[in-house]
Amino acid sequence: MSTLVISEISKDSIPLDVLPVFCAAKKFDEKFDVAFVGNLSDEGEINKNSNSSIDKVFLCKVNDSQLTAETVCNSLKDLVQNYDNILTASNTFGKNFMPRLSASFDCMQVSDVIEILEQKKFKRPIYAGNAIATVENSSEKNFLTIRTTAFDAFSFENSDSQPAEINLVNSDQSAVISQELTKSERPELSAASVVISGGRGVGSSENFKILEQLADKLNAALGASRAAVDAGYVPNDYQVGQTGKVIAPQLYIAVGISGAIQHLAGMKDSKVIVAINKDEDAPIFQVSDYGLVGDLFEIIPKMTQLLN
């Protein structure tokens, strides 16, 4: 059975949340192929991101303005027909093109796979992660988006492999008009080992600064609940939860977050969860490893001071 991983690649590098997809691919085959899609300025970057498990490497050069689901599918369709298993990350990039690609082969897509049991049998979360469904795919091909928090990260080694270039088949059905990318000196939320998230209890965007001070001390990423995002305290890309980012850091500190089921779906796989809330009955304490009942405006500054 042949396996292909489709990965986004930028001018800088492969996104860190794609690395677990390569480990998932090894569940099917010891060796698999990779198709990189994106605007890459230095092809030598691909040689830095190789491994003995990666057999063939393909490169589809797509400018940011062309990175639409239609263009990606049109360009990869001929390549994909040669594979039984097609995997990508369950992120913005993967969720954008994979439904269209699987439909073009009249196959079903299995989303958010957290475990590969057999060639056609998988586990995936449902009901915001409160239940795990075992599903069996009856389609000819497996089109899978991988929940990256469920698999280990993949390690790379230098290689002299030369990627085969895929001809770009552009689509005039849609186009990217503009992109607004948030730049931060802090670690990326989806790949950070420590995350500090604030909720409605933080009270305002000004009050988020005390979380920023603690995050700087811990070299942590900043996150937020949907309530904090909807209130305008922080931008949308901070959101952790069912409708935001799904993460599993080594340490997750939830500050002023009650613990709604939608938020828990995005962070409950964290290795260690610390909850800080003045309401001792808050649901977040049911999933936390450590809980502090008290005023966050007293606790957070003291924690920051102790780290000086």
Side-chain angles (χ1 to χ4, degrees):
M1 301 298 252
S2 52
T3 301
L4 176 70
V5 174
I6 301 174
S7 170
E8 184 180 13
I9 193 166
S10 68
K11 296 177 181 178
D12 301 319
S13 61
I14 300 173
L16 294 177
D17 59 354
V18 173
L19 303 185
V21 182
F22 297 125
C23 282
K26 292 189 68 174
K27 301 290 184 180
F28 290 109
D29 295 295
E30 188 60 34
K31 284 187 174 291
F32 55 90
D33 298 344
V34 180
F36 291 113
V37 180
N39 185 7
L40 184 64
S41 57
D42 180 12
E43 291 189 18
E45 186 65 32
I46 290 180
N47 295 337
K48 299 176 187 176
N49 295 302
S50 187
N51 185 284
S52 57
S53 294
I54 299 177
D55 190 8
K56 297 177 183 176
V57 178
F58 303 92
L59 175 61
C60 180
K61 292 183 178 180
V62 181
N63 293 326
D64 293 340
S65 61
Q66 300 169 314
L67 196 56
T68 63
E70 294 85 353
T71 296
V72 172
C73 292
N74 291 345
S75 302
L76 296 181
K77 192 172 180 180
D78 288 344
L79 176 66
V80 165
Q81 67 181 355
N82 301 318
Y83 294 90
D84 302 299
N85 311 303
I86 301 91
L87 285 67
T88 193
S90 185
N91 56 15
T92 303
F93 172 73
K95 291 176 181 178
N96 185 35
F97 79 87
M98 188 62 99
R100 176 178 287 268
L101 186 61
S102 60
S104 67
F105 286 91
D106 196 25
C107 293
M108 67 171 287
Q109 172 189 311
V110 183
S111 303
D112 282 336
V113 172
I114 62 172
E115 188 175 350
I116 297 169
L117 300 174
E118 299 174 5
Q119 177 65 30
K120 292 286 186 178
K121 191 176 291 186
F122 316 97
K123 286 187 177 182
R124 62 180 300 270
I126 58 175
Y127 303 127
N130 283 290
I132 303 299
T134 300
V135 298
E136 189 166 352
N137 182 18
S138 59
S139 299
E140 179 184 359
K141 297 176 182 291
N142 289 323
F143 286 89
L144 312 178
T145 59
I146 302 297
R147 175 73 68 91
T148 56
T149 56
F151 295 86
D152 294 331
F154 193 71
S155 59
F156 285 116
E157 59 198 30
N158 286 333
S159 169
D160 294 326
S161 61
Q162 294 299 318
E165 193 160 329
I166 300 172
N167 292 327
L168 178 66
V169 182
N170 201 10
S171 171
D172 57 2
Q173 293 178 282
S174 62
V176 177
I177 303 302
S178 64
Q179 293 188 64
E180 293 184 14
L181 302 178
T182 303
K183 295 184 178 180
S184 173
E185 294 181 357
R186 296 190 181 91
E188 183 185 351
L189 179 58
S190 58
S193 59
V194 180
V195 174
I196 300 172
S197 283
R200 193 196 307 272
V202 176
S204 69
S205 56
E206 284 295 316
N207 290 341
F208 251 84
K209 291 180 180 179
I210 67 171
L211 300 189
E212 292 176 0
Q213 294 169 3
L214 179 59
D216 290 340
K217 294 292 183 181
L218 295 174
N219 191 30
L222 271 180
S225 66
R226 179 172 178 174
V229 171
D230 288 348
Y233 300 166
V234 289
N236 289 351
D237 52 317
Y238 280 43
Q239 185 175 329
V240 174
Q242 186 179 11
T243 54
K245 290 183 172 67
V246 177
I247 59 175
Q250 295 294 318
L251 173 62
Y252 186 85
I253 303 176
V255 182
I257 295 175
S258 63
I261 188 173
Q262 292 83 359
H263 183 75
L264 299 184
M267 46 62 70
K268 67 179 182 179
D269 290 330
S270 303
K271 305 303 182 290
V272 177
I273 300 173
V274 176
I276 301 172
N277 201 297
K278 64 181 180 181
D279 179 8
E280 63 181 16
D281 296 322
I284 191 69
F285 289 121
Q286 297 177 14
V287 299
S288 62
D289 299 287
Y290 301 94
L292 291 173
V293 178
D295 187 348
L296 69 91
F297 298 106
E298 296 178 2
I299 294 172
I300 297 300
K302 287 181 179 178
M303 291 176 66
T304 305
Q305 186 178 7
L306 289 172
L307 292 170
N308 285 333

